[in-house]
Amino acid sequence: MDYSLLTGVYARLEGISGRLEMTDVVAEFIKEVPDESLSTVLLFLRGTPFPSWSSLELGIADKLMVKALSSVSGLAESKLNDLVREKGDIGLVAEEALVSKPQTTLYSETLTVEKVQENLGRLAKLTGKGSQDKKIAYITELLSNASPQDSRYIVRLILGQLRIGVGDGIIRDAIAKAYELDPSVVDRAFNMRPDWGEVALTAKNRGESGLKDYGIIVGQPVKVMLAQKAESLESALEDMGEVELEVKYDGARLQIHKDKDRVSLFTRRLEDVTRQFPEVVKDSLNHVKAASAVIEGEVVAVDVGTRRPLPFQNLSRRIKRKYDIREMVDKIPVEVNLFDIIYHNGGDKSGLEFRERRQLLSESVDETDRFRLAENLVTTDLKPAENFYKKALDMGHEGVMVKNLKAPYQPGSRVGYMYKLKPVMESLDLVVTGGTWGEGRRASWIGSYLLSVYDPESGGFLEIGRMATGLTDEQLKGLTELFKPLITSQEGRSVVIKPKVVFEVAYEEIQKSPTYSSGYALRFPRLVRVREDKGVEEADTLNRVEMMLKK
Ligand code: AMP
């Protein structure tokens, strides 16, 4: 399919802000897209070149993009950099620069969505020496065949800044509308198989029954069931009667897929981390007794000597490391604490009650001291529950999980089947969307951060406050390094930061405020930690802020 058909729709969407109208535009468009292009078109509409569970990543920085633009347009990099600063959007700069590109290369070949995807796939697979030049070559090839409007969106897609306001909610409703389905059926299917392309194709060709048939496929991640915050142990027990308490380990969620001799590991954000944890792959092969299974647990880094749990940062080093993995396995050992099973020997077990799933889990795993079931207690009484909670905290864990023994596993939802309880003051997980350079001694560091909630409808962000105080020099230095590559534009001392990083922020109070686009502000926000395990789409929303305020 011609790429320009898609960019025409992008341009229309950019011009409207009403959710319903946007949904209509997307629905009308996808009805016309031929089957063979539908998957790619949906990924591109959502602003991502690959499905979330794919291990492919583009990793293109603005600087490299400017080089590619310079090569196609003939404009100097310094001139392009000036334009980026002026416009604050490298996509618009690309469009403008390419209006005047040399005529010889103009429209030499019709650009298709397939061609864009092919080049991006190749680009993502490039590593090592000389890869920069090849990356530039792939981007240049695309831009040479692109119209100025096409280039605006190719550049934004590659940099992960599409900015057309189409989030999962609009895609879901558009698919429902295009194929006359109930949005909840589309939603469930997406949680089971988080790939809009596949969901749309099934919706189109097999309708509701096709989507309802969706079950777990071993090797493809399912969206994880999420936890709500419990008010207290007392209220949780009152609500649910008998509960299972489990230690809340401070690590990363792992979804372990085993199919005979093949194991895949996914994080809660559905990233494939199989290569990073060879010892977990081995343990899954040796100690999961089923031929096929999907199991969940928390992987935790532990001290080499004492084997006490280490803070999340240590584990994060394991997750990020893509080379010399062996060395890391010895340096930062991990343990896995298993807590759920949703697939077993060919059968989907997500509909079973948690009590039965836990039983099946214990029958399916040969426990060792580094691959074992999460510590638990089943009770109806407050006293033993409190003792368990206290013991978990004494052992240095984050808190406890309180689980409904009768509940099924509901992928992707925060439905109140599983609660978390931690002894901290209220906190929100917020996205950093801007900052301000410090003054005087702190002039080379970003001294304050603009925080935003996530808006799931539009996929955009709403500001809720600034956090400036309480950061040590050491922290400011580290954070500045983290954010420097994410700065997209600057005006005076203020910078706009690409929404990529989530801060867990504690605060004293939420107040109504006209200053910020969310309509609220936080009093005395302070950084608890960087939530490296969370994507920006998992940050807290305006809804949650309003709920907290009511409380
Ligand atoms: P939070 O990230 O604060 O929303 O808390 C939920 C997360 O706690 C889950 O996604 C898991 O990664 C983690 N977790 C740690 N221990 C457990 C457990 N025993 N059961 C379920 N989740 C756990």
Side-chain angles (χ1 to χ4, degrees), residues 153-205:
Y153 297 108
I154 289 179
V155 164
R156 288 192 190 162
L157 178 70
I158 293 176
L159 295 175
Q161 312 169 12
L162 196 61
R163 302 185 184 177
I164 53 164
V166 173
D168 285 334
I170 288 183
I171 298 269
R172 175 199 58 215
D173 292 353
I175 291 176
K177 179 140 203 202
Y179 310 117
E180 295 173 12
L181 294 162
D182 186 333
S184 68
V185 174
V186 181
D187 201 47
R188 180 197 163 271
F190 181 65
N191 286 328
M192 273 289 181
R193 215 167 297 169
D195 180 340
W196 284 127
E198 201 174 318
V199 171
L201 263 180
T202 308
K204 179 174 178 186
N205 296 322

Side-chain angles (χ1 to χ4, degrees), residues 465-478:
R466 276 182 184 282
M467 183 181 69
T469 48
L471 296 168
T472 62
D473 285 2
E474 205 49 43
Q475 277 177 316
L476 286 176
K477 208 164 130 194

Side-chain angles (χ1 to χ4, degrees), residues 40 49 133 223 228-229 282 304 310 313 343 360 396 425 438-439 458 519 530 550:
T40 312
D133 289 342
K223 278 200 159 198
Q228 285 184 335
K229 276 194 182 159
K282 211 163 128 200
V304 182
L310 294 174
Q313 281 79 343
Y343 188 91
L360 181 59
M425 64 188 281
E439 284 178 299
S458 68
V530 180
K550 264 193 216 135

Side-chain angles (χ1 to χ4, degrees), residues 155-427:
V155 164
R156 288 192 190 162
L157 178 70
I158 293 176
L159 295 175
Q161 312 169 12
L162 196 61
R163 302 185 184 177
I164 53 164
V166 173
D168 285 334
I170 288 183
I171 298 269
R172 175 199 58 215
D173 292 353
I175 291 176
K177 179 140 203 202
Y179 310 117
E180 295 173 12
L181 294 162
D182 186 333
S184 68
V185 174
V186 181
D187 201 47
R188 180 197 163 271
F190 181 65
N191 286 328
M192 273 289 181
R193 215 167 297 169
D195 180 340
W196 284 127
E198 201 174 318
V199 171
L201 263 180
T202 308
K204 179 174 178 186
N205 296 322
R206 295 184 46 224
E208 180 168 320
S209 71
L211 290 179
K212 281 190 166 159
D213 275 352
Y214 266 15
I216 295 169
I217 295 184
V218 186
Q220 289 188 21
V222 169
K223 278 200 159 198
V224 300
M225 180 161 81
L226 301 167
Q228 285 184 335
K229 276 194 182 159
E231 296 280 336
S232 64
L233 276 178
E234 222 165 351
S235 65
L237 277 164
E238 232 166 65
D239 261 16
M240 296 185 260
E242 194 174 34
V243 297
E244 166 155 325
L245 288 146
E246 284 173 14
V247 167
K248 183 175 196 305
Y249 300 92
D250 184 14
R253 183 131 169 201
L254 271 192
Q255 200 173 76
I256 303 173
H257 289 239
K258 175 183 172 185
D259 189 13
K260 299 196 191 78
D261 55 354
R262 269 187 68 109
V263 168
S264 317
L265 307 175
F266 300 99
T267 65
R268 145 192 183 146
R269 292 166 67 183
L270 314 182
E271 284 160 325
D272 186 333
V273 288
T274 315
R275 281 188 50 224
Q276 285 93 315
F277 295 103
E279 72 273 56
V280 180
V281 170
K282 211 163 128 200
D283 284 346
S284 308
L285 287 173
N286 294 337
H287 302 296
V288 176
K289 288 185 277 182
S292 65
V294 178
I295 290 180
E296 280 192 4
E298 187 87 351
V299 57
V300 184
V302 294
D303 185 89
V304 182
T306 64
R307 302 203 75 84
R308 269 183 76 85
L310 294 174
F312 178 75
Q313 281 79 343
N314 298 276
L315 185 73
S316 162
R317 288 179 56 206
R318 285 286 310 260
I319 293 177
K320 285 188 188 143
R321 186 67 163 255
K322 305 270 160 72
Y323 56 91
D324 289 343
I325 309 265
R326 267 280 132 224
E327 181 193 320
M328 286 306 259
V329 169
D330 298 330
K331 215 159 136 192
I332 307 181
V334 300
E335 291 179 2
V336 182
N337 303 282
L338 302 164
F339 50 74
D340 218 326
I341 182 163
I342 53 176
Y343 188 91
H344 181 261
N345 281 347
D348 186 337
K349 303 293 171 193
S350 59
L352 288 184
E353 290 187 358
F354 178 56
R355 190 195 300 273
E356 296 168 285
R357 299 202 308 280
R358 175 83 193 198
Q359 176 64 30
L360 181 59
L361 180 66
S362 82
E363 287 163 8
S364 311
V365 178
D366 252 338
E367 291 187 76
T368 71
D369 51 2
R370 64 167 204 208
F371 192 78
R372 56 182 182 219
L373 268 61
E375 226 175 298
N376 70 335
L377 171 79
V378 174
T379 185
T380 46
D381 301 327
L382 187 58
K383 197 76 211 147
E386 278 174 348
N387 287 342
F388 184 87
Y389 181 42
K390 194 169 169 305
K391 199 175 106 203
L393 295 179
D394 289 346
M395 279 163 29
H397 297 299
E398 261 196 303
V400 291
M401 305 296 296
V402 189
K403 300 186 179 178
N404 185 337
L405 286 159
K406 298 204 183 77
Y409 185 100
Q410 192 125 317
S413 313
R414 207 182 285 281
V415 275
Y417 294 163
M418 163 162 116
Y419 287 90
K420 55 187 175 187
L421 188 69
K422 298 193 266 186
V424 286
M425 64 188 281
E426 288 298 356
S427 68

